[in-house]
Amino acid sequence: MSWWTTLLGGAFGFMLGGPIGALIGATLGSSLGGTGRRFEAGPPPGYRREQAQLAFFAAAFGVMGHVAKADGRVSSEEIRLADSMMDQLGLRGEQRQAARALFNRGKSPGFPLDDIIDQLRSECLRGSNIRRMFMEIQFQAALVDGHLHPNERRLLRRIAARLGLSSAEFIELERMMRSMHSGVRSNGEGPRLEDAYETLGVPPDAPDDEVKRAYRRLMSRHHPDKLAAKGLPEEMMRAATERTQQIKAAWDTVKTARAA
């Protein structure tokens, strides 16, 4: 049984209470025909992982909508970002409708951001790598129009702090996501050298062994299997895989430049 099958069966009432359960129920309950039910014999095997995956999915799109509204409006680019994220994750049919509904709910006044983040951290974001992955998704949403509005940045910093990430980790994430966004080339070439160093989080004059350690650390953080074990939904593995490809491209660019 997948977390999505469980959700369609109306069992999210057993899986999640609290603000995320309320978000799912208010956003999706009526459209999915379920009000939540409990299993008579207790949850089936693997249910805890499905619970974490459901929490991540619901919070990711709800918070994404909230971040998109932080600059005072939701631009057409940000709406396209939500759609492109759904394309990237391979969401179709009811899953796509659910993600869009959660995104729209996040834009609504009174969205309980702090409560959602607190429960998310409790449900599935106990590891730093999965928390960073959640933040990367939110940074990607905020940067879709090419810049980070001051209100968006303040909100992202608030979310990161609520998740337990330090100020230094936030700055490192912001630098990496900005470099990945600006380093994408339409001609299919690798990233610019300066963006490659920013992606790896090392200065251009760093020793070779330091660059290699940074690359290996980032690859380990984004390993899809490790993130899945922490509660990343299968549908979001594509985002983790794309990030590893960007990190690998940055490493290749730096290696080529240093070998020249």
Side-chain angles (χ1 to χ4, degrees):
M1 176 185 292
S2 70
W3 67 270
W4 180 251
T5 301
T6 302
L7 181 61
L8 287 178
F12 57 82
F14 181 92
M15 297 181 77
L16 292 169
I20 297 181
L23 170 67
I24 295 169
T27 308
L28 310 178
S30 59
S31 64
L32 294 174
T35 57
R37 63 178 175 81
R38 294 183 178 271
F39 295 107
E40 294 180 0
Y47 210 69
R48 177 64 185 174
R49 178 174 173 178
E50 292 167 13
Q51 184 178 5
Q53 290 174 333
L54 173 56
F56 193 105
F57 181 90
F61 281 100
V63 172
M64 190 187 301
H66 196 70
V67 171
K69 191 70 180 293
D71 60 1
R73 64 188 181 89
V74 179
S75 68
S76 58
E77 290 87 355
E78 286 158 337
I79 293 172
R80 284 197 293 272
L81 177 278
D83 285 333
S84 68
M85 284 290 291
M86 295 172 204
D87 289 337
Q88 178 183 341
L89 300 175
L91 301 185
R92 300 288 184 270
E94 289 179 309
Q95 276 189 319
R96 192 180 187 93
Q97 293 175 18
R100 186 176 289 118
L102 289 162
F103 181 87
N104 290 334
R105 178 67 62 169
K107 297 185 298 181
S108 303
F111 181 75
L113 176 66
D114 290 345
D115 293 338
I116 292 287
I117 296 301
D118 287 348
Q119 185 182 1
L120 180 65
R121 184 177 179 183
S122 174
E123 293 286 353
C124 68
L125 300 193
R126 296 189 180 94
S128 60
N129 290 346
I130 192 75
R131 281 181 272 159
R132 291 172 65 95
M133 190 68 203
F134 185 87
M135 285 304 304
E136 286 179 22
I137 291 172
Q138 304 309 323
F139 264 113
Q140 186 174 349
L143 286 167
V144 67
D145 56 1
H147 69 278
L148 195 62
H149 190 279
N151 288 345
E152 292 175 326
R153 190 176 188 276
R154 280 192 290 269
L155 183 56
L156 289 171
R157 182 178 281 276
R158 172 180 159 191
I159 294 168
R162 202 85 186 182
L163 286 174
L165 297 178
S166 68
S167 178
E169 287 176 303
F170 178 84
I171 292 171
E172 180 187 357
L173 266 174
E174 179 181 3
R175 183 179 61 237
M176 183 182 74
M177 294 307 296
R178 285 183 183 273
S179 64
M180 285 184 174
H181 181 82
S182 63
V184 174
R185 300 199 202 181
S186 59
N187 60 7
E189 295 181 5
R192 293 179 290 270
L193 183 59
E194 59 268 32
D195 291 318
Y197 278 112
E198 288 288 342
T199 294
L200 296 177
V202 294
D205 60 353
D208 289 347
D209 58 345
E210 181 181 341
V211 177
K212 184 177 292 186
R213 283 196 302 270
Y215 164 68
R216 289 176 174 172
R217 182 176 64 250
L218 287 173
M219 291 295 284
S220 177
R221 283 177 179 172
H222 294 84
H223 195 287
D225 290 341
K226 293 181 179 180
L227 292 170
K230 294 292 185 180
L232 186 70
E234 293 178 7
E235 292 78 5
M236 293 186 171
M237 293 302 170
R238 298 186 185 187
T241 300
E242 179 182 354
R243 204 74 73 239
T244 60
Q245 292 170 345
Q246 291 173 311
I247 295 166
K248 179 65 164 57
W251 166 245
D252 288 341
T253 295
V254 169
K255 276 201 310 180
T256 300
R258 290 187 169 219

